[in-house]
Amino acid sequence: MSILVDRNTRVICQGITGKVGEFHTRGCLEYGTRMVGGVTPGKGGEKIADLPVFDTVAEARDATGANATMIFVPPPFAADAILEAVAAEVDLVIAITEGIPVLDMARVLPVVENSKSVLVGPNCPGVITPGQCKIGIMPGYIHTPGSIGVMSRSGTLTYEAVWQLTQLGHGQSTCVGLGGDPLVGSSFIDILALFEKDPETQAILMMGEIGGSAEEEAAAYVKEHVTKPVAAFIAGRTAPPGKRMGHAGAIISGGKGTAEAKLEALRDAGIEIAETPADMGAAMVRAIQQKN
Amino acid sequence: MKIHEFQAKELLRAADVPVLDGKIARTPEEASLAFQSLGTPVCAVKAQIHAGGRGKGSVKGSQQRGVELAKSADEAARIAHGLLDKTLVTIQTGPEGQVVRQVFIESGCDIKQELYCAILVDRAAGSPVLIASTAGGMDIEEVAAKTPELILSEPFDPDRGLGAYQARLMASKLGLPTASWRHAVQFFQAICKAFVSLDAALLEINPFVLTGDGTLVALDAKMTFDDNAMFRHKSILSLRDESEEEPAEIRAAAAGLSYVKLNGEIGCLVNGAGLAMSTMDLVKFHGGEPANFLDVGGGANVEQVTEAFRIILSDSNVKAILVNIFGGIMRCTTIANALIEASKTVGFTVPLVVRLEGTEVEDGKKILASSDTSIITADGLTDAAQKVVESIKA
């Protein structure tokens, strides 16, 4: 078991004929992901990496039985690509694209909510179940199959955490990149619920960052509903208010979204805190020992 | 992206939001002429900088406030003289302040009540939300902290806009007289529509006022935009005032880098926003002060990395540099080659500590070891942070 993706997941890539889409489609194929096709409007009939390209998501789904899509469509058209995937009833929609206008996402999210599809991202590295299925841009080799569920709002910070876990001998059940934008499809809470239910996941490591209140909401959820050990790290303790730290979502505004407020909420929920980014793997180990 | 108050007022006027007449002035003479042409007994003279808190802020070395009322053309000129080319310090500019290059001369109006409203995208609601309070003209953060019950909010769908009933509900809760409700509906619906159609990130009107004749007017306007949506708003891009921005940040943006200048001594070059923030945190944890946030992104090339070093070194406060790369898509060999290239073309005058991990790390480390540069290599995050902090103590 794992969450969201496994060796049976059949994946298409929207934007497969673009340079980045093709590059990462090949990367996913090399990792062993069951890539089954791609979509680029107007390029139906072509082949990329020996995979059939279709004009529409609906055609691709009907022809390949795809149940997941990985979106690399450029920002101006990415919201439409998400809506197309949802309309074609693809179970899992993973939007990698960075730079989608926030109001486009405000239009997309209610549609996703009223559908059967799950959206991860946008502006995220993707989802990986080590040894089975990688959908996204993360380097596959740093991951090891195991029992730690990992979720994060940032890409390279996730790689860092996964690397630390792997070095400490702890593999990962599934790693989920939620994305660094203000509005994203899946929240910490959505993924926490999946990890809590997944028998293979025995502990959960989360990486948050300044801005918004997603970490506080996750802390409240953990307190009420999560029985598995949880450890957390919050990036941006030294970030000044009013300055956007790369991610559109990472900004302290109106005194809200500070690292201190988030850490306090997490501690209050009994979550083990990594004091520094070098301590993320070790914090997970401490959390597991405390629960045993 | 930020714009000036007078620019925001023009956008709002075009969107049928009631604003007062005003003119921009870059000299005291222009301020005097502006006062005369507006023809009202009182005008407000308002410093135009990309920061709020102007009314309470003052010019360095004088009593001059950032916003003052003038009752004559001479007085308008005198206030303009007190502001133009001077440094205004407000709660939002930080102690260094910002130079005032233009003032906005705006007609007076009969103010009965000052109120506050703003529109922003609420992450929890997943939609834009109109916020309003009777505490107009005040520090809204303070109101939110002390008396959150005084802050009203109405989320709305971007395409349907704010419902008339929502606007009436707001007007009622704000205690506006029923005779003014139709003005309130028009006002609130117009600002919500403007927010969406312009892809704003924040529209704050502090204060908007109820006038003696029962209408509503936007007395101030602070507007920022969603940078990601500016591809469909070329006309808004032309309103950008680069003189209000940090030169190094403009330069970084042009090179496709994400850079934020800070006040410390340790320059940081990292790939990924989350890791970049975390690296700054770690530097601070080990007793150093980061000089900047710099994310070179996932696929930076040699030119970009070289430019990143130039930008970091252009900050004279920088006494050492920490490079932290977790190679994913970015290969460690690319970064190692870029480091050597940069050391040749830029020349490092300060200690450089490098921590590499991830894709092609062994080859990357070999490249650095075989070069004749004085790069200090580090194993792991803690080692890197400790070494860079030690390097400036020595």
Side-chain angles (χ1 to χ4, degrees):
Chain A
M1 282 281 283
S2 56
I3 68 165
L4 297 172
V5 303
D6 60 27
R7 60 174 54 86
N8 299 316
T9 307
R10 299 171 68 83
V11 189
I12 54 167
C13 174
Q14 284 171 266
I16 193 170
T17 56
K19 198 175 133 199
V20 186
E22 177 177 347
F23 178 81
H24 291 293
T25 295
R26 290 181 188 277
C28 293
L29 275 170
E30 276 166 31
Y31 192 78
T33 305
R34 288 183 72 179
M35 296 298 306
V36 293
V39 175
T40 297
K43 303 229 168 147
E46 292 185 12
K47 288 223 166 197
I48 296 283
D50 281 335
L51 298 173
V53 179
F54 301 89
D55 285 320
T56 67
V57 175
E59 285 173 85
R61 184 212 52 205
D62 289 346
T64 66
N67 54 7
T69 175
M70 160 170 92
I71 298 180
F72 283 97
V73 173
F77 320 108
D80 185 62
I82 296 171
L83 291 174
E84 184 182 0
V86 171
E89 296 180 340
V90 177
D91 296 333
L92 178 63
V93 181
I94 299 177
I96 310 294
T97 307
E98 175 177 1
I100 302 179
V102 68
L103 285 176
D104 284 6
M105 287 312 299
R107 293 177 173 102
V108 164
L109 290 185
V111 180
V112 175
E113 224 154 82
N114 291 317
S115 76
K116 287 180 196 151
S117 302
V118 169
L119 171 66
V120 176
N123 190 14
C124 79
V127 179
I128 181 168
T129 291
Q132 299 190 38
C133 177
K134 162 183 131 100
I135 304 180
I137 61 175
M138 65 290 277
Y141 78 94
I142 61 171
H143 302 80
T144 320
S147 61
I148 312 281
V150 179
M151 55 180 186
S152 170
R153 275 165 74 182
S154 106
T156 46
L157 188 60
T158 315
Y159 309 163
E160 183 74 50
V162 165
W163 182 241
Q164 288 175 18
L165 288 173
T166 294
Q167 286 192 313
L168 289 167
H170 286 273
Q172 305 87 40
S173 54
T174 303
C175 304
V176 183
L178 302 173
D181 281 356
L183 299 187
V184 292
S186 293
S187 67
F188 283 122
I189 292 177
D190 298 326
I191 306 303
L192 276 169
L194 296 178
F195 278 141
E196 175 68 14
K197 267 194 294 189
D198 174 36
E200 195 162 296
T201 300
Q202 282 164 21
I204 302 157
L205 175 58
M206 61 181 275
M207 272 74 62
E209 60 190 31
I210 53 160
S213 58
E215 290 79 5
E216 286 89 330
E217 287 149 24
Y221 185 86
V222 167
K223 207 173 176 179
E224 287 291 311
H225 303 287
V226 178
T227 58
K228 296 175 182 180
V230 182
F233 174 73
I234 302 291
R237 279 201 205 191
T238 53
K243 289 277 188 183
R244 169 183 154 169
M245 293 289 143
H247 286 159
I251 182 165
I252 300 169
S253 51
K256 285 196 174 167
T258 64
E260 288 315 317
K262 291 176 188 297
L263 290 169
E264 198 182 309
L266 293 165
R267 278 197 198 98
D268 181 57
I271 294 169
E272 181 68 24
I273 303 295
E275 292 296 333
T276 75
D279 185 42
M280 293 185 292
M284 185 74 268
V285 174
R286 289 198 300 276
I288 293 168
Q289 285 164 348
Q290 281 162 17
K291 282 264 178 172
N292 290 339
Chain B
M1 192 190 109
K2 295 178 181 176
I3 59 171
H4 289 292
E5 174 200 357
F6 77 94
Q7 297 169 320
K9 293 260 176 83
E10 280 313 306
L11 293 174
L12 290 179
R13 186 194 300 279
D16 292 328
V17 178
V19 292
L20 300 169
D21 289 335
K23 284 192 154 45
I24 203 75
R26 290 178 182 83
T27 63
E29 296 72 44
E30 284 180 12
S32 170
L33 286 173
F35 184 96
Q36 288 165 21
S37 74
L38 287 170
T40 53
V42 180
C43 279
V45 181
K46 306 163 108 177
Q48 299 294 294
I49 56 170
H50 281 184
R54 295 166 300 164
K56 287 182 185 166
S58 59
V59 163
K60 260 187 194 174
S62 87
Q63 301 291 313
Q64 180 65 58
R65 298 276 174 191
V67 176
E68 282 199 29
L69 295 178
K71 294 201 175 86
S72 69
D74 285 349
E75 201 179 358
R78 200 160 56 238
I79 297 167
H81 178 75
L83 285 169
L84 287 165
D85 301 317
K86 311 285 195 307
T87 303
L88 182 64
V89 179
T90 80
I91 194 160
Q92 290 185 16
T93 62
E96 63 273 21
Q98 243 165 284
V99 175
V100 180
R101 292 183 176 83
Q102 47 200 350
V103 292
F104 188 48
I105 318 293
E106 191 173 61
S107 321
C109 80
D110 175 16
I111 299 172
K112 210 170 163 195
Q113 191 188 355
E114 296 194 356
L115 306 103
Y116 171 96
C117 72
I119 306 166
L120 47 83
V121 173
D122 180 32
R123 301 180 199 218
S127 73
V129 58
L130 170 67
I131 295 169
S133 171
T134 49
M138 310 269 287
D139 180 0
I140 197 68
E141 277 94 20
E142 208 178 302
V143 177
K146 287 184 185 159
T147 47
E149 70 279 4
L150 289 183
I151 296 189
L152 313 168
S153 75
E154 286 291 330
F156 61 93
D157 177 273
D159 295 326
R160 279 199 303 276
L162 186 81
Y165 74 94
Q166 291 180 291
R168 280 195 302 274
L169 195 64
M170 207 78 151
S172 164
K173 285 185 185 168
L174 288 169
L176 296 174
T178 44
S180 297
W181 285 10
R182 67 187 174 88
H183 295 297
V185 169
Q186 197 268 329
F187 184 87
F188 289 137
Q189 287 190 322
I191 58 172
C192 289
K193 201 173 164 190
F195 178 90
V196 172
S197 66
L198 298 168
D199 273 301
L202 172 74
L203 171 54
E204 188 180 47
I205 304 181
N206 188 19
F208 72 96
V209 298
L210 178 66
T211 62
D213 59 7
T215 62
L216 298 180
V217 174
L219 220 55
D220 189 23
K222 182 179 175 185
M223 211 166 184
T224 66
F225 298 93
D226 178 2
D227 294 332
N228 289 338
M230 288 302 102
F231 66 84
R232 56 191 178 208
H233 297 284
K234 298 281 185 271
S235 63
I236 296 175
L237 278 178
S238 69
L239 299 177
R240 187 167 169 193
D241 182 355
E242 292 198 345
S243 68
E244 292 284 322
E245 298 172 27
E246 172 67 37
E249 290 177 14
I250 298 170
R251 204 172 145 186
L257 306 164
S258 176
Y259 170 90
V260 178
K261 190 186 172 329
L262 302 167
N263 298 319
E265 300 171 328
I266 296 173
C268 301
L269 188 157
V270 190
N271 66 327
L275 192 59
M277 269 192 285
S278 306
T279 304
M280 288 157 51
D281 295 344
L282 196 66
V283 164
K284 182 122 176 169
F285 184 82
H286 287 286
E289 277 292 332
N292 65 275
F293 165 96
L294 195 153
D295 170 14
V296 294
N301 55 35
V302 172
E303 288 74 33
Q304 280 174 301
V305 174
T306 309
E307 177 70 357
F309 277 114
R310 283 205 189 95
I311 290 167
I312 291 173
L313 287 167
S314 72
D315 176 355
S316 58
N317 291 334
V318 170
K319 295 205 171 72
I321 299 177
L322 172 58
V323 173
N324 181 20
I325 300 293
F326 202 108
I329 304 317
M330 163 107 76
R331 296 182 181 95
C332 289
T333 45
T334 305
I335 250 311
N337 285 321
L339 281 171
I340 289 166
E341 185 62 29
S343 75
K344 280 183 204 154
T345 56
V346 184
F348 291 108
T349 46
V350 297
L352 175 66
V353 177
V354 179
R355 182 267 179 153
L356 297 179
E357 201 56 77
T359 309
E360 296 183 4
V361 61
E362 292 312 321
D363 289 340
K365 283 182 176 171
K366 271 181 208 157
I367 292 170
L368 291 185
S370 62
S371 76
D372 53 0
T373 54
S374 57
I375 292 169
I376 305 164
T377 54
D379 290 312
L381 282 176
T382 304
D383 186 43
Q386 283 172 345
K387 276 180 175 161
V388 76
V389 172
E390 275 164 28
S391 76
I392 59 170
K393 285 184 184 155

